[in-house]
Amino acid sequence: MRKYLAIIFFLMLQGLQAQVEFKAVPSRTKIGVNENLRLEFRMNQDGDNFVPPTFQGFKVSGPGQSISNSWINGVRSFSKSYTYVLTPTAKGTFTVGQATIEIAGTVYKTSPVKITVGDAVANPNPQQQPHRYDPFDPFGQNQPQEPEPVTTNPNDGIHIVAEIQNTNIYVNQPVNVVYKLYVSPNSSVVSFGEKESPKYNDFWSQIEPVDPRNMKVENATYNGKPYRMVVLRRAVLYPQKSGRLELEPLVEELNVQIPDGRRDFFGRMGLKEAKTTASSGRKYINVKPLPEAGKPDDFSGAVGNFDFKVTPSKTTITNGESIQLTVSVSGKGNLKLFSLPKPVVPSALEMYDPEHKEDVKTPLTGMNGSISDVYTLVPNAKGKYPVKGLSFSWFDLASGKYKTVTSKDIMIDVLNVPASAATAENKPAGGKEKLSPGEQFRYIATGTSLRKTGSEDFFGSTLFYTLLFAPFLCIPLIVLVKKKKEAYDSDVEGNKIRTNSKLAKKYLGEAKKQLGNKEPFYLALEKALHNFLKAKLRIETSELSRENINELLLSRNATQETVNDFTRIMDSCEFARYAPASGTAMQQDYESAVSVVTSLEKQMS
């Protein structure tokens, strides 16, 4: 009896041992976009034909393979694993599919693994290495839960800091942000480059990138400790709305040198290179709205300290001369973000659209310089005509109050005008010339031209036979047109190009109609440029990245100057969403867009 019980127990033990286990084990399921994770595929029996899943949304390194095979008290223990290190390429929730392996003629699959990739973190966790097999610990009981670090963290002495001059400001008050990289004396950075650039939503921004070749390493202090420091970039920001506004982080990818755990003959620690990322973290700026108390009715959004002038080129006109009336603002403030007042002149002075001029510099302290609108006035009658003084208002940051300046009235003395202008002025209402009595009925014809109608029968006539045989003659034409139509409909690529060309022309016309309306104008202009690119370069919307566009345009014989002009227009469309735009600026952008599209048509034909 005992013999049978022993046999049954032995068979049950073998059956339990024969159960196959194949599973996917991630080190974590929630990470930042600048972090890594380790995904291990484990099995308790040896197998063949391992097929990894697709790692959509990740860069993959590996696999690292480890095998453990041991006998303890006559019982065999086996484990085998394939390990991958995954680096996310974008934020979102991604599913790693099923891996398969063949064990003893049967195919086994793992369960899918969901991984959530969030925002970049200021202190990313170290990247992870594949699991290493220790012959003295075949089952991994004594191995650490977290992998060995191969990248830096704050304890390693590498930090990116966004230094903000002032975090409590008014709308349209400048604030400068300086991004600095701090490296401790015990850390070593070989090279670095931007992985994610911050987008300054709700700000007008002027970015001053620093050329890595001209970077200067300075000695600095961070958290009371000595560090080495370099400036990565500088930016001047003008908030366009009030509230708590967010600055996205600057993420840098770094190649660093870290100890590899080995020492040479003299006891010096060996080094190896590794990649890591560092982030400045999200920052916030509290933006106060401009006060309503005392706000002038003609206030157009100017903030700073300004000087306002209205200057005529002359005040006495003779012999059909014209004058230039210059409206200018100079000083320090948001010069590019408000419009100048428009003069009102008598009807006897014909005023043309102004020529807008800018001489503005944008250092870290904010914009300074001058802007002006130059109007051309042409008189059409002699006399003396007053031009009323203009008022300009701004918010003064130093005093925290609104200020208004009004220019003096200007008297324009027109001594005489050319005879053609005087004649035009003296025309009767409606602009119609008077006719002499003999010419009043000139349009009435006095003669007649009569034509006798024929009495030929319709049957047997030329028209009869033409109508009779016309349908038969049209059959070949109908067949040819049908074939052309089928070929036209089957040309999918050609139809896309033609559709995009039509859309480009349509939106360009829409942009012209919307001159003066900022948002509809720039939206139509941007759509026109995008559809033009899709038609000429034969690309889809998903391929409309700035680098891809520049590369494709240059490969199609477009000149670098034309490509730069195209990029500038696209930047104008993007900046105009967050900054006011004058009618003159819109007209210039429209004309530049037409010129660039025409140049690209010629260069890429």
Side-chain angles (χ1 to χ4, degrees):
M1 185 65 181
R2 292 181 180 179
K3 179 179 179 181
Y4 293 114
L5 290 175
I7 293 174
I8 293 173
F9 178 76
F10 179 75
L11 291 176
M12 291 176 62
L13 184 62
Q14 291 295 326
L16 291 174
Q17 184 178 359
Q19 290 182 353
V20 177
E21 184 179 286
F22 179 46
K23 59 183 179 180
V25 182
S27 59
R28 288 182 297 166
T29 56
K30 292 183 179 180
I31 60 173
V33 73
N34 57 337
E35 295 183 294
N36 296 338
L37 66 91
R38 187 188 69 210
L39 183 59
E40 188 174 358
F41 297 95
R42 299 176 185 172
M43 65 200 76
N44 62 352
Q45 291 191 27
D46 196 6
D48 298 314
N49 302 324
F50 173 72
V51 178
T54 57
F55 299 97
Q56 183 178 1
F58 297 92
K59 292 182 180 178
V60 183
S61 61
Q65 182 177 344
S66 64
I67 298 176
S68 171
N69 192 8
S70 62
W71 290 86
I72 300 176
N73 296 328
V75 178
R76 179 176 178 264
S77 296
F78 178 86
S79 65
K80 181 178 180 181
S81 65
Y82 294 91
T83 305
Y84 294 84
V85 176
L86 308 184
T87 303
T89 58
K91 295 187 291 185
T93 300
F94 303 95
T95 300
V96 178
Q98 295 178 319
T100 62
I101 196 166
E102 184 177 345
I103 301 176
T106 302
V107 176
Y108 294 88
K109 298 181 180 180
T110 61
S111 299
V113 178
K114 283 191 176 181
I115 298 172
T116 302
V117 181
D119 295 330
V121 297
N123 304 324
N125 289 339
Q127 295 178 346
Q128 301 175 355
Q129 288 181 330
H131 176 77
R132 298 186 302 172
Y133 172 65
D134 184 355
F136 299 99
D137 184 19
F139 301 104
Q141 293 93 337
N142 299 323
Q143 294 200 21
Q145 295 297 320
E146 292 294 332
E148 294 182 0
V150 297
T151 60
T152 57
N153 56 36
N155 294 331
D156 296 322
I158 296 179
H159 310 273
I160 294 180
V161 179
E163 296 183 356
I164 304 176
Q165 174 194 22
N166 188 0
T167 58
N168 190 22
I169 59 176
Y170 283 102
V171 172
N172 271 319
Q173 179 179 351
V175 58
N176 65 69
V177 183
V178 181
Y179 296 87
K180 298 180 179 179
L181 172 64
Y182 289 88
V183 181
S184 73
N186 298 325
S187 302
S188 175
V189 176
V190 179
S191 62
F192 54 87
E194 284 191 10
K195 184 178 181 181
E196 291 185 15
S197 302
K199 296 179 181 178
Y200 303 107
N201 299 323
D202 303 318
F203 290 90
W204 185 95
S205 61
Q206 178 75 31
I207 302 171
E208 182 184 340
V210 180
D211 189 344
R213 295 170 295 183
N214 299 327
M215 285 184 176
K216 296 182 179 180
V217 180
E218 302 176 10
N219 293 325
T221 302
Y222 182 78
N223 288 339
K225 297 180 181 180
Y227 273 76
R228 294 162 292 166
M229 181 273 294
V230 294
V231 176
L232 300 177
R233 68 152 61 184
R234 301 179 179 91
V236 180
L237 309 179
Y238 284 82
Q240 298 301 295
K241 71 176 186 179
S242 59
R244 189 169 184 258
L245 305 185
E246 177 185 303
L247 296 183
E248 295 182 357
L250 171 66
V251 180
E252 292 277 335
E253 187 173 53
L254 306 100
N255 292 323
V256 300
Q257 287 184 335
I258 59 173
D260 62 0
R262 297 177 295 179
R263 296 184 181 273
D264 60 13
F265 179 79
F266 299 97
R268 294 173 299 189
M269 181 65 72
L271 298 176
K272 61 181 179 181
E273 287 195 10
K275 286 186 177 181
T276 187
T277 54
S279 169
S280 63
R282 296 182 181 273
K283 301 294 182 180
Y284 296 91
I285 297 178
N286 295 317
V287 182
K288 299 177 291 185
L290 297 177
E292 293 294 330
K295 180 184 289 187
D297 294 336
D298 62 349
F299 179 69
S300 60
V303 177
N305 186 17
F306 302 105
D307 183 23
F308 176 66
K309 293 181 180 179
V310 179
T311 309
S313 60
K314 60 180 71 175
T315 56
T316 302
I317 304 175
T318 183
N319 296 327
E321 296 176 331
S322 63
I323 65 172
Q324 278 70 45
L325 187 66
T326 303
V327 181
S328 64
V329 170
S330 60
K332 182 178 180 181
N334 59 332
L335 288 163
K336 294 184 178 182
L337 303 177
F338 60 83
S339 56
L340 295 172
K342 183 177 181 179
V344 178
V345 299
S347 59
L349 299 177
E350 186 174 358
M351 184 173 67
Y352 294 88
D353 290 338
E355 177 187 0
H356 186 74
K357 297 182 180 180
E358 291 185 357
D359 183 15
V360 181
K361 297 179 181 179
T362 312
L364 281 179
T365 54
M367 299 183 204
N368 62 78
S370 64
I371 60 173
S372 62
D373 286 341
V374 181
Y375 294 87
T376 299
L377 305 181
V378 179
N380 52 32
K382 65 179 182 179
K384 292 186 178 181
Y385 304 102
V387 177
K388 294 183 179 180
L390 300 180
S391 295
F392 175 71
S393 303
W394 72 88
F395 181 74
D396 184 47
L397 293 170
S399 61
K401 297 181 180 179
Y402 293 95
K403 292 186 177 181
T404 301
V405 174
T406 303
S407 65
K408 296 181 179 179
D409 293 349
I410 300 172
M411 183 64 69
I412 306 297
D413 188 5
V414 182
L415 300 180
N416 55 57
V417 295
S420 60
T423 302
E425 182 68 19
N426 294 326
K427 278 187 178 182
K432 296 182 179 179
E433 296 182 2
K434 293 184 178 180
L435 300 175
S436 61
E439 298 291 324
Q440 291 180 359
F441 303 98
R442 182 177 56 188
Y443 64 93
I444 301 177
T446 57
T448 59
S449 177
L450 302 178
R451 180 173 58 88
K452 183 180 180 181
T453 58
S455 59
E456 183 182 358
D457 292 336
F458 174 74
F459 183 81
S461 64
T462 304
L463 179 60
F464 171 81
Y465 289 108
T466 301
L467 296 177
L468 179 63
F469 294 104
F472 299 98
L473 297 176
C474 291
I475 292 176
L477 181 62
I478 294 173
V479 173
L480 180 61
V481 170
K482 184 178 180 181
K483 289 184 178 180
K484 291 286 186 181
K485 182 66 168 56
E486 292 175 351
Y488 184 93
D489 294 339
S490 61
D491 184 11
V492 178
E493 186 68 23
N495 287 335
K496 286 185 179 179
I497 295 173
R498 287 186 286 271
T499 300
N500 290 329
S501 297
K502 291 179 181 178
L503 289 175
K505 294 179 181 178
K506 172 187 174 182
Y507 286 119
L508 200 59
E510 181 66 20
K512 186 175 182 180
K513 294 179 182 178
Q514 295 295 338
L515 281 170
N517 298 325
K518 184 189 71 172
E519 294 184 3
F521 168 79
Y522 281 106
L523 180 61
L525 188 61
E526 188 177 31
K527 288 183 178 180
L529 295 176
H530 281 176
N531 283 283
F532 170 78
L533 287 178
K534 291 194 288 185
K536 297 300 293 183
L537 302 179
R538 301 186 179 184
I539 58 178
E540 298 295 335
T541 304
S542 59
E543 299 174 281
L544 287 174
S545 65
R546 189 64 53 84
E547 295 78 11
N548 192 30
I549 290 172
N550 292 346
E551 181 179 354
L552 290 174
L553 288 176
L554 292 174
S555 67
R556 295 288 298 276
N557 300 324
T559 62
Q560 184 64 52
E561 181 181 359
T562 306
V563 174
N564 293 340
D565 290 341
F566 189 90
T567 304
R568 183 187 62 77
I569 296 170
M570 294 299 294
D571 290 339
S572 296
C573 294
E574 182 176 357
F575 293 157
R577 297 177 181 176
Y578 309 106
S582 64
T584 304
M586 289 187 231
Q587 181 67 36
Q588 292 175 352
D589 286 341
Y590 175 79
E591 294 174 355
S592 298
V594 174
S595 176
V596 169
V597 168
T598 304
S599 299
L600 289 176
E601 283 279 3
K602 295 178 180 179
Q603 295 169 9
M604 295 191 297
S605 59

